Amino acid sequence: MQEWANQLCENRQFGSKMTDSKYFTTTKKGEIFELKAELNSDKKEKKKEAVKKVIASMTVGKDVSALFPDVVNCMQTDNLELKKLVYLYLMNYAKSQPDMAIMAVNTFVKDCEDPNPLIRALAVRTMGCIRVDKITEYLCEPLRKCLKDEDPYVRKTAAVCVAKLHDINAQLVEDQGFLDTLKDLISDSNPMVVANAVAALSEIAESHPNSNLMDLNPQTINKLLTALNECTEWGQIFILDCLANYTPRDDRESQSICERVTPRLSHANSAVVLSAVKVLMKFMEMLPKDLDYYGTLLKKLAPPLVTLLSAEPELQYVALRNINLIVQRRPEILKHEMKVFFVKYNDPIYVKLEKLDIMIRLASQANIAQVLAELKEYATEVDVDFVRKAVRAIGRCAIKVEQSAERCVSTLLDLIQTKVNYVVQEAIVVIKDIFRKYPNKYESVIATLCENLDSLDEPEARAAMIWIVGEYAERIDNADELLESFLEGFHDESTQVQLQLLTAIVKLFLKKPTETQELVQQVLSLATQDSDNPDLRDRGYIYWRLLSTDPVAAKEVVLAEKPLISEETDLIEPTLLEELICHIGTLASVYHKPPSAFVEGSRGVQHKRLPGSTESGESESPDTASAAAVSDAPPAVIPSQGDLLGDLLNLDLTPPTTAGPPPPASSGMQMGAMDLLGGGLDSLMGDESEPPPIPLRMDTPQSPQLPHQSPSPPDYSPTELGGDLGGSPAIGAGFGAPPAAMPASFSAPVSGGLDDLFDLGGGVGMPMGAYSAPKTVWLPALKAKGLEISGTFARRSGVIQMEMTLTNKAMSVMTDFAIQFNRNSFGLAPAGPLQVLTPLSPNQSIEVTLPLNTVGPVMKMEPLNNLQVAVKNNIDVFYFSCQYPISMLFVEDGKMERQVFLATWKDIPNDSEAQFQIKDCHLSSDAASNKLQGSNIFTIAKRTVDGQDMLYQSMKLTNGIWVLTEMRVQAGNPVYTVSLKCRAAEVSQWVFQSYEAVLKN
């Protein structure tokens, strides 16, 4: 449609009279037949008139496709106006008549060599608009000529045509080398050609984010900045948008670009101004704040933004939405310009509300008196929505500027005295928030609020008033009567009011138990027995049980100190704000959403970041990225809210005051549980509804039999059977039962019997250090209000450690950190509080090591090594999930006696054996054995059969599960075969993953 509009407008230049409306008025029958005759007339004027009639019919929606061949025949003419009209017709009908459209190809090719540059450009523009696959390949040659045409008008038109052709057939454009030609056009002598080449490349790069087409370097940037001064306004926008995607090498280059872009701020076109602001906002990130130029730039940015607010309302709104982002990022730019955001009586409501929002963001101690006077004025306006927002704004100012709180409260009380219903209701909602922010400071106004109780009819206001009465019940003599008055129509109230009323009456009961017993029983029975709402019912039952079982606990829960609220709750999350700043002047900056949220398909999904925040941003250096790739760590499983609620609701997120020390390394007689390979099996396979028993030690009196155990054989005492594997049923079965199948290696003839088989002779050398994976991001900043947590697990000196990096990407300081784990497969739990000793400032990172023990509650997870974690700070509680390598759980006393190994291997059924292959491993058997021993995987024996080394290894998990393995290593063969035997079969694949991780890193 835009092309038609352009073409029709341009036709005016070729002598069209203002009487063209006559072409739209014909209603004759047999019209197509007559037009056909006129199109084939010998008279040029008649032909032109006929084509105009055809275009008029097409414009009003009539189908004139039957005239396609006749119109195409009119292309062979020198008359530019007629040629334009025919091309217009062709663009519209080529898609529905592709076979006919091919007839026009020769004319295009011919017109691309016409001496008149306007005709050459017209031909190439029309070729780009005909979206027919069959034709595109015929158009490559004419397009190539036009891209190198001597006339800049033709070259700039051809540049845009490349982008259109790329949209139809990307492969063809790449094969024909048009992209390289486009890149060359960036160095063109004509600024409009440069602008169009940039626009075309940007369009292509956006639909193919990984193509790296815009290879920006200082030389290219210099050419673009030179062209910037001489372009049309839209050309300037294309170039500025392209500049915004460049990251300067240092602050000097950044300053140089800013200096050359600054003159665009005084442009008459608001789109140019916003594009220039976007470039400057981005490059300012790289300038040191103590630089004189930085201050100068801040001053230069304010006037153009203020000027935008004198445009028509629609433009004002777009400007205000962008200013809202700018003020959140750099409030100092407009801190002295508060007055321009004062509302005018004739502003549309959408402009008023946006100005109101920016006023609050700019409010400070210096200007608060001015702002409050203005807001009080707005609260007496006639527009109800605006008045409500103005009253809310007074409350937000009180919360934001502490020194103004008293003045705000008195202003709100003045408004309540007006007795205007909706003003009173909004004021009460706002005062509730002020009480939350400044407890025990302004409660003297409660009496005034209670006077207006009867006039409240909106759920939010009623809920706020009920909260105030419940929270300050001890200061209100007739609190029980007030709440009882609400209770009379309990079932007619909204859910919000019902929930608030239930909580308020329970608070009242806990403060005045003797006087309100009936009232609390009444509300609990209404909430639990007579209500269909599950939220209300559940809350009622929780309160009921709390009150009936432990009133002290109920008091601690219901009357707990509430976290203070802050003004920052409505700020855009920092990482999203960074991205939106990079999209100033686009639809994203009006919606305040990233393009990926509202643009379908691949376009616009690139996430942009400000350059100064690369260390703290989401991007990672190539080194860390490659390290992450090498580690091949399993992806973190982010649990759904539903998965977490069941267990994380009851987390105590205060740091533990006393925590047991990490369990000492097991000595001779200490075992996980009675069963050699089955201790802790219940924790993996048992009934999950009951918390499984903590693994028992041998010295526990009257050790109970576990479900998966066979009774202990009476014949052998632990000492008789040798050390740390005493009286185990595996041994009993091994010696008393017929031997089970053995590994192939064991059944081979052995010259010196068992002693020879297990003779370590030249065996295993010194162990290396334990392997720990590189850190990965567990909790992205986007999901945790600016807190990013990356980490890994390590085992050092027998203690499992969680090593984390906490990074603050928010704008506020973070303190009061605490951590808690959900129940997990191996009972992992923090062995002490999370030690973050100093507040975490914005853009600061801190390394934290958290020792863990394995005496926490046990529940089988999916996957087995999944750990669900809750981290609390002064902002909120955040949940994430990560996976720990099973090798962290291999204990230091996991080396099994040789005879016991043999007997146990025989005892475990063959169907519990799993076989895996480790590929691309180039270590010798000795080197592999050393590496594994560093992670507590112990080689018990090694033997060589037919040039193949066989390593027999054992390891023991913290919960007493034993794993036995046979690893075959053939010299020169990079594929190792690992056979694993374990009674808890589900452990096998995770043990194998640990083998692979240790050997390959």
Side-chain angles (χ1 to χ4, degrees):
M1 284 301 288
Q2 194 177 355
E3 288 290 339
W4 286 12
N6 291 347
Q7 297 276 14
L8 284 168
C9 291
E10 285 182 27
N11 286 346
R12 296 273 179 228
Q13 299 165 14
F14 295 97
S16 295
K17 305 287 182 287
M18 293 303 285
T19 56
D20 285 356
S21 58
K22 66 186 181 189
Y23 300 114
F24 292 87
T25 55
T26 176
T27 52
K28 285 186 216 161
K29 290 187 178 175
E31 192 178 0
I32 298 287
F33 182 75
E34 284 180 22
L35 285 171
K36 199 179 185 80
E38 286 178 27
L39 287 168
N40 292 313
S41 163
D42 296 333
K43 294 179 181 172
K44 284 185 179 177
E45 270 309 306
K46 210 166 187 181
K47 247 184 193 178
K48 191 161 91 175
E49 292 293 303
V51 173
K52 284 186 178 180
K53 286 178 189 171
V54 170
I55 297 294
S57 299
M58 179 179 87
T59 307
V60 296
K62 290 181 186 172
D63 182 12
V64 283
S65 57
L67 297 169
F68 199 93
D70 306 288
V71 176
V72 169
N73 284 337
C74 299
M75 281 173 80
Q76 311 291 342
T77 175
D78 299 331
N79 186 313
L80 187 57
E81 186 183 6
L82 180 56
K83 198 177 274 288
K84 280 192 167 193
L85 290 167
V86 174
Y87 277 178
L88 200 55
Y89 176 90
L90 201 61
M91 277 189 255
N92 194 41
Y93 283 117
K95 200 155 194 173
S96 58
Q97 308 260 358
D99 297 326
M100 291 277 200
I102 292 180
M103 293 162 48
V105 168
N106 286 333
T107 313
F108 282 135
V109 173
K110 193 173 151 204
D111 281 357
C112 283
E113 294 176 358
D114 194 278
N116 184 343
L118 286 174
I119 290 181
R120 295 203 297 276
L122 180 64
V124 80
R125 180 198 289 168
T126 310
M127 279 160 34
C129 294
I130 296 179
R131 302 178 64 83
V132 177
D133 284 335
K134 288 183 182 177
I135 295 183
T136 45
E137 52 201 73
Y138 296 110
L139 306 182
C140 293
E141 218 37 61
L143 180 58
R144 186 175 283 108
K145 286 178 184 168
C146 288
L147 281 167
K148 303 225 167 106
D149 198 282
E150 60 190 22
D151 192 283
Y153 182 74
V154 180
R155 292 201 300 279
K156 87 175 180 69
T157 311
V160 176
C161 186
V162 173
K164 291 180 177 175
L165 193 60
H166 190 275
D167 200 35
I168 303 165
N169 189 338
Q171 197 56 50
L172 180 73
V173 169
E174 286 164 30
D175 295 345
Q176 294 285 340
F178 289 148
L179 294 181
D180 294 328
T181 315
L182 260 189
K183 287 180 189 173
D184 295 342
L185 287 182
I186 289 181
S187 310
D188 198 278
S189 56
N190 185 288
M192 268 319 297
V193 178
V194 175
N196 278 21
V198 167
L201 282 169
S202 301
E203 178 82 11
I204 295 168
E206 223 171 72
S207 56
H208 293 72
N210 302 322
S211 56
N212 197 23
L213 281 174
M214 298 298 290
D215 184 19
L216 297 174
N217 53 47
Q219 292 72 34
T220 314
I221 293 297
N222 195 34
K223 288 171 189 167
L224 294 182
L225 287 165
T226 307
L228 187 62
N229 299 322
E230 300 164 45
C231 282
T232 64
E233 51 197 19
W234 295 110
Q236 290 182 31
I237 292 165
F238 290 136
I239 290 176
L240 287 167
D241 286 350
C242 180
L243 286 172
N245 293 328
Y246 175 63
T247 305
R249 293 166 303 176
D250 51 34
D251 55 349
R252 284 182 61 191
E253 187 184 4
S254 188
Q255 182 177 338
S256 157
I257 294 171
C258 287
E259 284 168 353
R260 294 176 71 178
V261 167
T262 309
R264 300 300 108 213
L265 291 173
S266 53
H267 201 284
N269 186 321
S270 52
V272 176
V273 174
L274 283 177
S275 291
V277 168
K278 170 167 62 183
V279 174
L280 296 172
M281 283 292 289
K282 190 171 177 186
F283 289 0
M284 274 171 81
E285 296 288 332
M286 295 192 69
L287 298 176
K289 293 196 175 180
D290 52 359
L291 196 70
D292 290 342
Y293 180 70
Y294 181 85
T296 312
L297 196 53
L298 282 179
K299 286 177 191 161
K300 283 184 178 173
L301 274 168
L305 293 172
V306 170
T307 307
L308 291 177
L309 298 182
S310 54
E312 51 268 34
E314 293 78 11
L315 274 180
Q316 276 189 58
Y317 178 70
V318 171
L320 287 165
R321 292 294 279 174
N322 281 278
I323 288 168
N324 201 326
L325 296 173
I326 292 164
V327 163
Q328 287 184 55
R329 185 74 193 174
R330 297 204 179 282
E332 61 270 30
I333 292 176
L334 289 161
K335 67 180 176 185
H336 300 303
E337 305 290 344
M338 175 64 87
K339 281 192 175 173
V340 298
F341 299 107
F342 285 175
V343 171
K344 296 177 186 159
Y345 75 96
N346 58 349
D347 280 339
I349 184 68
Y350 54 87
V351 170
K352 285 180 176 178
L353 296 179
E354 207 55 43
K355 282 184 173 178
L356 208 53
D357 202 31
I358 294 169
M359 278 169 67
I360 297 158
R361 296 203 192 289
L362 290 174
S364 64
Q365 205 176 337
N367 58 24
I368 193 71
Q370 211 179 6
V371 172
L372 274 180
E374 194 73 13
L375 291 174
K376 192 174 178 183
E377 194 71 31
Y378 300 160
T380 57
E381 289 265 346
V382 288
D383 187 325
V384 177
D385 282 342
F386 180 54
V387 171
R388 287 176 182 279
K389 283 280 192 296
V391 176
R392 291 265 168 130
I394 294 171
R396 281 174 63 188
C397 287
I399 290 164
K400 184 176 181 189
V401 185
E402 189 169 344
Q403 295 79 358
S404 74
E406 199 160 330
R407 190 180 289 174
C408 292
V409 171
S410 65
T411 306
L412 289 167
L413 287 176
D414 292 346
L415 292 172
I416 287 173
Q417 298 306 335
T418 63
K419 300 293 182 190
V420 178
N421 190 285
Y422 55 85
V423 175
V424 172
Q425 307 209 62
E426 283 297 329
I428 286 174
V429 172
V430 160
I431 287 173
K432 182 202 81 170
D433 289 340
I434 294 174
F435 285 172
R436 283 283 307 274
K437 173 74 175 175
Y438 309 110
N440 306 319
K441 211 166 178 188
Y442 300 109
E443 283 73 17
S444 53
V445 306
I446 291 174
T448 315
L449 303 182
C450 291
E451 289 167 16
N452 295 280
L453 209 60
D454 299 334
S455 63
L456 306 180
D457 53 15
E458 291 172 13
E460 195 177 1
R462 287 172 78 82
M465 192 66 226
I466 291 166
W467 181 87
I468 291 169
V469 174
E471 189 67 16
Y472 300 102
E474 70 277 13
R475 302 178 186 212
I476 304 170
D477 299 333
N478 61 339
D480 50 342
E481 289 170 25
L482 295 176
L483 292 177
E484 199 168 356
S485 66
F486 284 104
L487 205 55
E488 287 160 11
F490 186 78
H491 289 303
D492 301 327
E493 300 284 5
S494 69
T495 306
Q496 182 183 8
V497 176
Q498 289 177 333
L499 287 165
Q500 201 59 266
L501 192 52
L502 172 62
T503 303
I505 290 176
V506 172
K507 283 180 186 172
L508 176 64
F509 172 70
L510 290 167
K511 290 173 181 180
K512 302 179 178 178
T514 49
E515 304 154 39
T516 53
Q517 203 157 351
E518 273 182 42
L519 191 61
V520 82
Q521 284 178 337
Q522 192 183 346
V523 78
L524 287 173
S525 113
L526 282 169
T528 54
Q529 291 164 27
D530 306 341
S531 171
D532 297 332
N533 185 314
D535 289 343
L536 185 63
R537 227 174 26 239
D538 288 355
R539 191 183 289 192
Y541 279 128
I542 287 171
Y543 284 153
W544 201 315
R545 282 174 191 160
L546 265 175
L547 292 169
S548 57
T549 53
D550 191 349
V552 178
K555 210 162 191 172
E556 284 174 9
V557 171
V558 181
L559 302 180
E561 199 173 314
K562 289 161 195 61
L564 299 181
I565 60 171
S566 73
E567 160 59 16
E568 289 172 8
T569 47
D570 68 325
L571 292 176
I572 293 174
E573 200 278 321
T575 37
L576 173 60
L577 181 62
E578 281 190 14
E579 187 172 352
L580 292 177
I581 292 286
C582 297
H583 289 292
I584 282 177
T586 69
L587 206 51
S589 67
V590 179
Y591 283 161
H592 287 190
K593 291 178 183 174
S596 54
F598 59 89
V599 179
E600 288 185 7
S602 60
R603 289 173 182 240
V605 179
Q606 287 166 287
H607 291 287
K608 299 183 178 180
R609 289 281 176 270
L610 294 176
S613 45
T614 42
E615 317 86 45
S616 61
E618 295 296 303
S619 55
E620 51 183 15
S621 69
D623 298 339
T624 55
S626 59
V630 171
S631 78
D632 207 12
V637 180
I638 304 301
S640 69
Q641 199 65 16
D643 295 340
L644 285 171
L645 279 178
D647 290 291
L648 290 180
L649 273 178
N650 58 5
L651 290 185
D652 171 20
L653 282 166
T654 51
T657 46
T658 55
S666 309
S667 59
M669 291 298 292
Q670 186 180 341
M671 290 182 50
M674 296 289 287
D675 188 349
L676 172 65
L677 288 157
L681 210 60
D682 303 289
S683 61
L684 292 177
M685 295 148 77
D687 178 8
E688 290 175 23
S689 61
E690 287 289 320
I694 292 172
L696 302 163
R697 303 225 321 228
M698 274 294 284
D699 53 345
T700 309
Q702 298 176 336
S703 302
Q705 289 289 337
L706 298 178
H708 294 271
Q709 281 178 246
S710 49
S712 295
D715 309 341
Y716 308 103
S717 72
T719 45
E720 283 173 299
L721 277 175
D724 58 38
L725 293 167
S728 110
I731 306 298
F735 284 92
M742 295 278 287
S745 51
F746 282 123
S747 53
V750 180
S751 55
L754 286 175
D755 290 328
D756 189 36
L757 167 65
F758 282 93
D759 178 21
L760 294 179
V764 187
M766 288 297 291
M768 303 159 107
Y771 163 72
S772 68
K775 286 182 181 173
T776 53
V777 175
W778 286 340
L779 181 66
L782 272 170
K783 293 189 176 173
K785 299 184 181 175
L787 173 64
E788 181 182 274
I789 301 179
S790 51
T792 185
F793 291 88
R795 188 179 182 95
R796 306 193 195 285
S797 308
V799 179
I800 305 167
Q801 294 179 345
M802 193 176 189
E803 298 177 347
M804 293 177 282
T805 304
L806 310 182
T807 305
N808 180 0
K809 295 187 179 177
M811 290 186 286
S812 52
V813 175
M814 294 182 180
T815 56
D816 306 332
F817 284 89
I819 193 164
Q820 188 79 33
F821 295 173
N822 199 353
R823 291 187 290 172
N824 53 79
S825 306
F826 293 93
L828 279 177
L834 186 62
Q835 298 282 358
V836 182
L837 302 174
T838 54
L840 190 56
S841 304
N843 293 325
Q844 186 190 349
S845 293
I846 194 164
E847 303 288 333
V848 184
T849 299
L850 179 71
L852 309 180
N853 59 35
T854 52
V855 297
V858 177
M859 179 178 81
K860 186 180 175 187
M861 299 297 287
E862 192 56 53
L864 198 65
N865 60 341
N866 196 25
L867 182 64
Q868 293 175 346
V869 183
V871 170
K872 180 187 87 107
N873 63 14
N874 59 322
I875 293 171
D876 207 343
V877 180
F878 308 107
Y879 303 106
F880 66 90
S881 172
C882 54
Q883 292 182 10
Y884 49 90
I886 290 286
S887 56
M888 294 303 107
L889 306 172
F890 296 163
V891 295
E892 282 65 25
D893 66 336
K895 187 167 184 179
M896 195 178 262
E897 292 290 326
R898 301 168 193 176
Q899 289 82 355
V900 175
F901 183 97
L902 260 177
T904 310
W905 185 282
K906 284 191 270 181
D907 184 56
I908 300 174
N910 280 348
D911 54 9
S912 295
E913 182 176 347
Q915 201 166 67
F916 302 94
Q917 286 194 326
I918 302 174
K919 295 178 180 171
D920 298 325
C921 202
H922 301 279
L923 299 170
S924 68
S925 58
D926 286 351
S929 180
N930 288 351
K931 233 178 179 192
L932 291 166
Q933 191 164 336
S935 294
N936 294 342
I937 299 172
F938 297 99
T939 302
I940 291 160
K942 170 187 168 186
R943 63 189 290 259
T944 306
V945 177
D946 300 332
Q948 190 176 50
D949 288 343
M950 297 189 180
L951 301 177
Y952 299 100
Q953 296 170 322
S954 72
M955 65 226 72
K956 181 171 135 190
L957 275 68
T958 49
N959 62 354
I961 293 178
W962 284 88
V963 184
L964 311 187
T965 66
E966 174 196 72
M967 186 166 80
R968 303 181 189 191
V969 182
Q970 179 102 39
N973 182 356
V975 180
Y976 294 3
T977 305
V978 179
S979 302
L980 284 127
K981 271 199 171 189
C982 176
R983 290 200 197 280
E986 54 260 76
V987 171
S988 298
Q989 74 179 82
W990 305 106
V991 172
F992 164 68
Q993 279 188 9
S994 292
Y995 259 81
E996 199 166 35
V998 171
L999 290 173
K1000 286 191 174 182
N1001 290 286

